[in-house]
């Protein structure tokens, strides 16, 4: 597995983040890493799943982020579903 740095934004937040993940991490794990820095701090916690969008497509939460076609320094957007 390899380090995969991503730029990330959580819908409703005011900051863009640089998140280091592993290319073998699931999309769900990546959304959790993004939410860790945002939810409850600058975005209110909600009882709803968090999804991840890349190039306009919502990614399957169970797929590895590297296998989903996301590359180093690509931009992803997390949002409540």
């Amino acid at each position: 597995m390899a380090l995969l740095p991503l730029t990330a934004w959580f819908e409703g937040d005011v900051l863009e983040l640089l998140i280091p993940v592993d290319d073998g991490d699931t999309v769900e794990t990546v959304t959790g890493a993004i939410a860790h820095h945002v939810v409850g701090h600058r975005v209110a916690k909600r009882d709803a799943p968090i999804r991840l969008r890349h190039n306009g497509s919502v990614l399957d939460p169970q797929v590895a982020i590297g296998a989903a076609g996301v590359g180093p320094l690509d931009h992803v957007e997390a949002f409540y579903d």
Side-chain angles (χ1 to χ4, degrees):
M1 304 302 171
L3 179 64
L4 181 64
L6 303 174
T7 62
W9 179 71
F10 198 107
E11 188 175 272
D13 195 6
V14 295
L15 300 175
E16 183 145 353
L17 306 170
L18 178 62
I19 301 290
V21 298
D22 191 283
D23 66 352
D25 288 345
T26 64
V27 168
E28 183 175 36
T29 300
V30 174
T31 59
I34 297 166
H36 171 78
H37 297 283
V38 177
V39 174
H41 301 283
R42 293 180 304 276
V43 173
K45 183 176 178 154
R46 290 177 37 194
D47 188 24
I50 300 171
R51 302 288 186 225
L52 196 67
R53 187 173 19 241
H54 176 252
N55 290 336
S57 297
V58 177
L59 303 179
D60 180 341
Q62 300 309 311
V63 173
I65 192 75
V70 180
L73 296 178
D74 277 2
H75 178 75
V76 294
E77 300 169 354
F79 62 97
Y80 282 112
D81 194 16

